Amino acid sequence: VYLTAYSVLLLYISLRRALRHAVARLELRRALDRERLFPGEIAEVTLEVSNPTPVPLPWVLVQEGVDRELALHGQRYAFATSLGGRSGQSIRYRIQAHRRGVYRLGPVLVNTGDPLGFDEVQLRVDQRAEVLVYPRLYPLDALGLGGGATTGLVRNPRRHLEDPTRVAGIREHTPGESIRHVHWKATAHTGSLKVKSFETTQHVDVA
């Protein structure tokens, strides 16, 4: 009984030390195929976990911290794998941009334990990556800018569209002009048909 107890205790201590030694030496690298996205675009991320020690890790749970604005719908960022001695594994997942801003990936939580279930260790790797999401693109005609308006805010020296709210003077009537622009007082005073002339304007609030 004592021999069995001592053997189990020695096995527990050995596994515990070997496990903690292996976890302390774990190496993690992250690579993104794209770090600049527009809303709706998807990028692929690769996590490489390496175990440089001869101690095998029969189970490893890797949890990646992903901003909710980058999370792909229905995607879980927790991955289970195993690492043999002096080996590595590549974990690939996808992210999707939803709205503009600067977002981060990380930290990474790594949980592992010995094969007999004696001990479990968690490692936090504060390795982060930034993803920049640009503003959404819109066609200019969908923004409702003032370029298509018939009147503007300031006077425009180039004659393009006249602003009927800005009377610049009076001139002789020419055939084909609208009767709405007739200046009746001037017409009555001079005895000939006179019409109003208007200033041309433009918008200045479009950048």
Side-chain angles (χ1 to χ4, degrees):
V1 173
Y2 286 119
L3 181 59
T4 303
Y6 288 141
S7 299
V8 171
L9 180 61
L10 181 61
L11 179 61
Y12 168 75
I13 295 174
S14 301
L15 288 176
R16 181 183 176 90
R17 288 184 176 179
L19 175 66
R20 294 183 180 274
H21 172 72
V23 170
R25 297 293 185 87
L26 282 179
E27 299 174 355
L28 187 140
R29 290 181 295 274
R30 182 192 291 107
L32 289 80
D33 63 344
R34 300 174 63 191
E35 297 180 352
R36 303 290 185 266
L37 302 172
F38 282 97
E41 292 184 336
I42 294 176
E44 186 173 272
V45 185
T46 303
L47 275 177
E48 294 184 359
V49 186
S50 301
N51 176 20
T53 68
V55 180
L57 300 175
W59 66 272
V60 179
L61 178 64
V62 180
Q63 301 179 70
E64 171 75 293
V66 178
D67 263 318
R68 65 176 183 175
E69 297 295 343
L70 293 178
L72 194 65
H73 180 67
Q75 173 75 48
R76 294 187 60 203
Y77 296 98
F79 313 94
T81 184
S82 61
L83 289 174
R86 295 189 175 91
S87 65
Q89 289 284 351
S90 293
I91 300 171
R92 291 181 174 85
Y93 64 89
R94 298 189 302 167
I95 56 175
Q96 183 176 23
H98 297 290
R99 56 185 300 179
R100 68 178 184 180
V102 179
Y103 305 103
R104 292 174 177 82
L105 301 176
V108 180
L109 297 179
V110 180
N111 289 72
T112 185
D114 61 79
L116 300 180
F118 287 149
D119 196 13
E120 183 176 334
V121 180
Q122 183 180 82
L123 175 67
R124 177 187 174 98
V125 182
D126 286 316
Q127 186 182 107
R128 301 173 186 265
E130 284 191 349
V131 177
L132 174 63
V133 180
Y134 294 116
R136 191 179 301 274
L137 294 179
Y138 295 92
L140 288 179
D141 56 359
L143 297 180
L145 301 177
T150 57
T151 62
L153 300 176
V154 297
R155 184 176 180 178
N156 184 7
R158 294 180 301 173
R159 299 190 63 83
H160 178 54
L161 291 176
E162 293 182 337
D163 187 346
T165 64
R166 298 182 181 225
V167 179
I170 301 172
R171 57 180 174 80
E172 292 291 334
H173 177 269
T174 56
E177 285 190 287
S178 174
I179 197 69
R180 293 178 301 174
H181 297 162
V182 173
H183 195 292
W184 296 108
K185 289 185 179 180
T187 299
H189 181 72
T190 60
S192 62
L193 199 59
K194 304 290 183 182
V195 294
K196 304 172 187 175
S197 62
F198 305 101
E199 292 181 352
T200 57
T201 57
Q202 65 182 349
H203 276 274
V204 295
D205 56 352
V206 179

